[in-house]
Amino acid sequence: MENDIKEIKYYIEKKDYNNLEEILGVFMISTKKLQNKNFDILCYSIQCGCSDKLIKQIYEWCNIEDVNYYYLINNKLISPLLNSFIYKNYNIIEFLIEKGANINKKYNNMTLLKYLISNEYLNEDAISILVKNQYIFSRNDFNLLFQKDFKLLIFTFDKITEFNKNIENNYNNYYDNNNNNKLREKKKIVKKNKKKSEKTIIEKGINEKEKKNEIDNIFKHEISISFMWYITYFRKREYNKILTLFKYETSKERSRGLKFFNYHFNYLDKNYENDIKLQFLYEIIYEHVEIPKFQNENKKEFIDEIYLKNQFNRILIRKHELYSKYISNNDYSSIKKFKKNNKFFIKYMQKPPK
């Protein structure tokens, strides 16, 4: 047995198609010898960088029935699917999923995404594969992405948004085409039997309620944004990231526009809260940060730049009055404290925008 495995390993390393075909296809070595902790032929062929064609052929030669498994050896996880991600063989990932590998399988109580992040294997290609193959992102997965790489998190949100849109568009096209075909068939029957009018048939067309229910039941990814992410970036004053996240916000509170963030301000240090809000508005107004259209509560009109400037000016005036009061009273202790807590305001007053 050991000699057989050594020989197989050698041929895999050499990518020797003919000899592998002979030893695997002719001699019919048992699956137990080829799939175990000591040697797994699928994992090894992926690790050795065999071509997609050869890996698929090995699968056929060995009559492999199960690809949805993993081994834990010396605290190291090994599986055909994991190896495909590790060695960036994305075509084989698709093949393994087709053959029954579960992309949502837990590995020693760890999600696939957590494994990829923990071992530095996650990249944009891997994210694309996960989204395409209906990996279910958990809140913890999104938190791990947030902690790991903001750009990768946003890339994930983009891919999810694109996937969901394509799914819905494809379904709508299929539903509409299917419905049109049914209408055409019914029209033929009407023309032949002359019992029903076209008007009656058209009225029995698409049932929008049924269509909506079916759309709701098809698989779509869900985006989950933690409110603590906003708090983190407010504290760091990274407003571009806050507004980028807000584009993907799915909560109903989103429609409140800038009022959505008032709740977050409550969790900031009270000494800095207004200064952070002042700078946030400044970034939107004067730095021309891209910002989604904010719907003003239940009204149809949208908040424009004038509204934002009014908010900004109100805070600015209050701060200016307070600061002037301290100066006129020669209250040096309060001036020092004010400067410490209102760094943006002081900077703004020294060099306001033109």
Side-chain angles (χ1 to χ4, degrees):
M1 174 185 169
E2 287 184 6
N3 289 334
D4 287 343
I5 298 303
K6 283 182 181 179
E7 196 173 355
I8 290 169
K9 280 185 173 182
Y10 175 79
Y11 292 143
I12 287 175
E13 289 164 8
K14 295 296 181 182
K15 321 296 191 293
D16 191 332
Y17 186 98
N18 293 329
N19 280 312
L20 276 172
E21 181 180 19
E22 183 178 345
I23 196 170
L24 295 174
V26 177
F27 292 103
M28 302 294 290
I29 299 172
S30 70
T31 306
K32 288 183 179 180
K33 290 182 180 180
L34 299 173
Q35 284 183 290
N36 57 71
K37 284 188 175 184
N38 297 318
F39 173 71
D40 186 278
I41 192 166
L42 270 182
C43 292
Y44 194 71
S45 60
I46 294 167
Q47 179 183 333
C48 290
C50 292
S51 67
D52 297 349
K53 180 182 177 182
L54 181 53
I55 293 170
K56 291 176 183 179
Q57 198 59 64
I58 287 171
Y59 173 89
E60 296 293 336
W61 287 331
C62 299
N63 294 315
I64 293 172
E65 295 180 355
D66 181 22
V67 294
N68 191 36
Y69 59 87
Y70 71 90
Y71 309 112
L72 181 60
I73 305 170
N74 298 325
N75 292 322
K76 183 179 179 182
L77 287 163
I78 298 172
S79 86
L81 192 62
L82 293 181
N83 273 22
S84 299
F85 275 103
I86 291 168
Y87 297 101
K88 300 180 181 179
N89 194 330
Y90 301 117
N91 289 331
I92 289 300
I93 291 172
E94 302 275 359
F95 172 76
L96 291 170
I97 291 171
E98 181 186 318
K99 296 300 180 183
N102 181 5
I103 201 166
N104 290 299
K105 187 180 183 68
K106 294 285 183 69
Y107 297 89
N108 207 26
N109 292 322
M110 183 164 47
T111 65
L112 176 55
L113 186 130
K114 184 176 181 179
Y115 171 83
L116 296 175
I117 288 178
S118 301
N119 293 279
E120 302 292 334
Y121 297 131
L122 192 68
N123 55 32
E124 290 186 356
D125 289 330
I127 288 290
S128 298
I129 289 288
L130 292 175
V131 172
K132 179 183 176 183
N133 289 283
Q134 301 184 8
Y135 174 82
I136 299 173
F137 292 88
S138 66
R139 284 179 178 270
N140 189 50
D141 284 334
F142 285 130
N143 276 324
L144 289 170
L145 276 168
F146 171 77
Q147 293 164 15
K148 173 68 178 175
D149 187 332
F150 182 78
K151 287 183 179 179
L152 205 55
L153 174 69
I154 296 305
F155 178 83
T156 306
F157 286 170
D158 280 335
K159 284 295 174 183
I160 285 175
T161 303
E162 181 184 342
F163 175 91
N164 288 346
K165 187 175 180 181
N166 287 339
I167 285 288
E168 197 161 321
N169 287 341
N170 290 340
Y171 178 81
N172 285 335
N173 291 336
Y174 168 79
Y175 195 97
D176 291 342
N177 290 336
N178 193 41
N179 190 70
N180 288 335
N181 289 336
K182 287 180 180 178
L183 284 175
R184 280 194 289 271
E185 289 299 319
K186 287 183 179 181
K187 285 179 183 179
K188 288 179 183 177
I189 295 171
V190 169
K191 193 173 182 180
K192 185 176 180 180
N193 298 329
K194 296 182 180 180
K195 290 181 179 180
K196 294 181 180 179
S197 67
E198 280 190 20
K199 182 180 178 182
T200 305
I201 294 166
I202 292 170
E203 287 175 351
K204 289 184 177 180
I206 299 173
N207 185 324
E208 291 297 335
K209 188 175 181 180
E210 282 183 14
K211 181 179 176 181
K212 184 180 182 303
N213 288 338
E214 288 184 28
I215 290 174
D216 289 342
N217 289 329
I218 61 177
F219 179 86
K220 285 190 285 187
H221 291 284
E222 293 184 6
I223 290 175
S224 175
I225 298 176
S226 168
F227 102 103
M228 282 306 299
W229 298 356
Y230 293 115
I231 301 298
T232 300
Y233 287 135
F234 270 123
R235 286 172 178 162
K236 293 180 178 179
R237 303 193 182 219
E238 295 183 19
Y239 304 112
N240 275 316
K241 290 183 178 179
I242 291 169
L243 293 171
T244 300
L245 279 177
F246 190 73
K247 292 177 187 177
Y248 304 95
E249 183 61 56
T250 56
S251 72
K252 292 180 181 178
E253 292 295 306
R254 185 188 194 284
S255 63
R256 298 179 67 232
L258 286 182
K259 291 181 181 178
F260 169 86
F261 296 109
N262 288 339
Y263 178 68
H264 300 80
F265 290 135
N266 293 333
Y267 285 83
L268 300 174
D269 188 316
K270 295 301 176 186
N271 293 322
Y272 308 106
E273 178 187 335
N274 277 340
D275 196 56
I276 289 174
K277 189 171 184 179
L278 186 72
Q279 188 176 355
F280 181 46
L281 291 168
Y282 172 85
E283 293 286 329
I284 296 169
I285 299 165
Y286 295 104
E287 297 299 317
H288 304 292
V289 173
E290 184 181 351
I291 184 169
K293 289 288 186 182
F294 290 123
Q295 188 175 350
N296 189 2
E297 295 179 349
N298 295 323
K299 299 177 183 178
K300 291 184 178 179
E301 73 241 26
F302 291 94
I303 297 171
D304 56 18
E305 193 171 296
I306 295 173
Y307 175 88
L308 299 176
K309 283 185 175 180
N310 286 340
Q311 273 201 324
F312 178 83
N313 288 330
R314 280 198 295 271
I315 298 173
L316 192 68
I317 290 168
R318 287 200 302 269
K319 285 186 176 295
H320 192 273
E321 288 174 348
L322 184 61
Y323 188 50
S324 299
K325 178 183 174 183
Y326 292 150
I327 291 174
S328 62
N329 292 335
N330 294 322
D331 188 348
Y332 299 113
S333 174
S334 295
I335 291 171
K336 184 178 179 181
K337 185 178 179 181
F338 183 90
K339 284 183 175 181
K340 179 183 176 182
N341 296 336
N342 294 275
K343 290 180 180 178
F344 174 76
F345 169 77
I346 298 298
K347 183 180 177 181
Y348 177 87
M349 294 306 295
Q350 289 171 348
K351 192 177 179 181
K354 295 179 181 179

